[in-house]
């Protein structure tokens, strides 16, 4: 006899029943887990602006501002001492007639004065930012009345010798963003102080200011100096700088003091065959060479000074010493003749 087949649902679970039972057990387990451990709340949406503003710290920018003002005081004292030294140097150059070199040194003095003016303005801006730092902390954007001060400090951070301004710049960039800092660095829409832009510019000062500096220095050190016609004409202009030096004030043959007569006609360059300088006169040159050089070359005063300073032979002490020396020479001559 064949065994009877068990129906699905009798005696044991079939495949469908096993799957259903497993599903029911999983549902109960998940329900128990949900009741035992509460579900974690979903993460908050990422707020990039909030995380960005967390980088700005008042405790860091305040010491940087105070140290910047102390650094400014040190730099001002250092540059003031250097200006006094440069003024004495320019006075000596004007006294010696080295006008072109004095003009270059005078431009350096003007540039140092510009820096001192810029440092005074930066110090004022540091003080106002330090006083209103709580206002900057509370605002998300830079207040309108503080925009010029903040932009100027960012602009000056990489253009001066004030190292602490870089720390101030970093905090301001963290507060107002990189786009704001980029506009400040490029002076977008004239947001930077106008005097700061001019004083820190690489452009040389105009010719009028440089010439008046030279006149004031000559008067301060009691030097009788007046600019020549070309310098006075250039120094009366406000739209150009002083002309670069041409080297005309440099004397020739300074090392040896020779060639005073020759330097009147040539600077040593070889001319084409048969060509002579326009001011060359052979007869005057021969007359000058017979009379000891003649003319007024750069080496003539030095040669005359050396000639005047040459030692003269000392006179004989007495006629008796002279006669005795002559007698000894005659005896020596007779002795040689007799031996021959």
């Amino acid at each position: 006899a064949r065994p009877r087949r068990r129906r699905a649902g009798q005696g044991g679970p079939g495949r469908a029943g096993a799957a259903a039972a497993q599903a029911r057990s999983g549902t109960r387990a998940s329900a128990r887990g949900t009741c035992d451990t509460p579900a974690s709340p979903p993460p908050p949406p990422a707020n990039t602006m909030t995380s960005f503003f967390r980088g700005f710290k008042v405790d860091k920018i305040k010491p940087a501002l105070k140290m910047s003002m102390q650094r400014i005081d040190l730099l001002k004292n250092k540059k003031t001492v250097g200006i006094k030294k440069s003024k004495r140097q320019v006075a000596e150059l004007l006294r010696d007639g080295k006008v072109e070199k004095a003009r270059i040194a005078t431009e350096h003095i003007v540039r140092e004065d510009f820096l001192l003016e810029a440092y005074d303005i930066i110090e004022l801006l540091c003080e106002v930012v330090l006083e209103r730092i709580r206002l900057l902390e509370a605002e998300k954007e830079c207040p309108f009345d503080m925009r010029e001060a903040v932009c100027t400090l960012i602009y000056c951070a990489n253009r001066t010798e004030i190292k602490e301004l870089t720390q101030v710049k970093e905090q301001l960039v963290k507060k107002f963003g990189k786009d704001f800092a980029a506009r400040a660095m490029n002076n977008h829409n004239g947001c930077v102080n106008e005097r700061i832009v001019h004083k820190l510019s690489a452009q040389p000062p105009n010719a009028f200011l440089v010439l008046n500096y030279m006149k004031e220095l000559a008067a301060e050190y009691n030097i009788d100096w007046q600019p020549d016609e070309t310098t006075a004409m250039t120094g009366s202009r406000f739209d150009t700088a002083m002309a670069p030096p041409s080297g005309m004030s440099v004397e020739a043959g300074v090392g040896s003091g020779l060639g005073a007569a020759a330097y009147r006609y040539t600077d040593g360059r070889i001319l084409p065959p048969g060509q002579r300088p326009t001011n060359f006169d052979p007869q005057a040159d021969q007359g000058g060479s017979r009379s000891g050089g003649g003319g007024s070359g750069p080496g003539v005063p030095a040669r005359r000074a050396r000639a005047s300073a040459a030692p003269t032979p000392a006179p004989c002490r007495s006629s008796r010493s002279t006669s005795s020396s002559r007698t000894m020479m005659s005896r020596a001559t007779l002795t040689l003749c007799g031996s021959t």
Side-chain angles (χ1 to χ4, degrees):
R2 290 182 294 181
R4 296 179 180 180
R5 295 181 180 180
R6 296 178 180 179
R7 296 179 180 179
Q10 293 181 1
R15 293 182 179 178
Q22 187 177 2
R24 286 195 298 272
S25 63
T27 304
R28 293 191 190 98
S30 61
R32 287 196 302 270
T34 305
C35 297
D36 295 341
T37 58
S40 59
N47 190 352
T48 56
M49 299 298 292
T50 304
S51 61
F52 182 79
F53 287 142
R54 288 175 183 172
F56 175 76
K57 294 183 179 180
V58 177
D59 296 338
K60 288 187 176 181
I61 192 173
K62 288 178 69 175
L65 289 168
K66 294 179 181 178
M67 293 174 66
S68 298
M69 291 187 286
Q70 294 177 1
R71 176 75 66 176
I72 288 173
D73 292 337
L74 294 175
L75 290 174
K76 286 164 62 176
N77 294 334
K78 180 180 177 181
K79 291 190 176 298
T80 302
V81 174
I83 287 175
K84 292 180 180 179
K85 183 178 179 180
S86 299
K87 288 170 62 177
R88 290 192 297 266
Q89 180 184 0
V90 172
E92 293 175 359
L93 292 173
L94 291 177
R95 186 181 294 110
D96 297 339
K98 300 178 180 179
V99 180
E100 291 181 325
K101 197 170 183 179
R103 192 169 61 206
I104 298 173
T106 305
E107 286 191 10
H108 174 71
I109 295 176
V110 176
R111 178 70 61 190
E112 293 297 301
D113 278 350
F114 283 178
L115 280 177
L116 289 177
E117 294 179 37
Y119 287 160
D120 287 334
I121 298 174
I122 294 172
E123 187 175 8
L124 292 175
L125 297 179
C126 288
E127 290 180 358
V128 70
V129 171
L130 183 62
E131 183 67 26
R132 302 182 183 180
I133 193 64
R134 294 300 176 184
L135 174 63
L136 297 180
E137 183 185 13
E139 298 290 337
K140 292 184 178 181
E141 295 183 359
C142 183
F144 181 77
D145 57 342
M146 292 293 296
R147 182 164 298 180
E148 180 175 323
V150 173
C151 291
T152 303
L153 292 181
I154 296 176
Y155 180 85
C156 298
N158 299 331
R159 291 177 170 84
T160 59
E161 301 176 10
I162 309 171
K163 302 178 182 179
E164 290 75 12
L165 276 183
T166 56
Q167 302 177 11
V168 177
K169 176 186 173 182
E170 290 176 0
Q171 293 298 317
L172 293 176
V173 171
K174 290 180 180 180
K175 175 63 179 176
F176 300 113
K178 295 182 178 180
D179 294 338
F180 181 86
R183 291 193 296 268
M185 292 293 295
N186 297 325
N187 192 18
H188 183 69
N189 292 333
C191 60
V192 182
N193 187 282
E194 185 178 359
R195 289 184 65 186
I196 288 289
V197 175
H198 167 58
K199 300 303 178 181
L200 298 182
S201 173
Q203 294 293 331
N206 60 47
F208 180 83
L209 185 62
V210 175
L211 182 59
N212 278 271
Y213 262 64
M214 296 174 69
K215 291 180 179 179
E216 293 291 335
L217 282 170
E220 181 178 351
Y221 287 88
N222 298 324
I223 299 173
D224 187 12
W225 176 81
Q226 292 295 331
D228 55 9
E229 184 177 357
T230 305
T231 305
M233 185 179 300
T234 306
S236 62
R237 300 183 60 180
F238 297 88
D239 57 348
T240 183
M242 275 288 186
S246 60
M248 296 300 295
S249 62
V250 178
E251 297 182 359
V254 178
S256 63
L258 305 175
Y263 280 123
R264 291 180 298 165
Y265 306 112
T266 179
D267 57 356
R269 286 179 291 184
I270 299 178
L271 301 179
Q275 184 176 353
R276 292 183 176 181
T278 56
N279 60 342
F280 178 69
D281 187 1
Q283 297 180 357
D285 184 62
Q286 291 177 2
S289 61
R290 294 193 190 98
S291 60
S296 59
V300 171
R303 293 176 62 187
R304 289 177 179 173
R306 286 197 301 271
S308 61
T312 56
C316 298
R317 295 183 179 180
S318 62
S319 59
R320 185 178 300 175
S321 60
T322 306
S323 60
S324 61
S325 61
R326 290 177 181 175
T327 304
M328 292 175 64
M329 291 177 63
S330 61
R331 289 178 182 176
T333 305
L334 292 174
T335 304
L336 289 173
C337 293
S339 63
T340 55

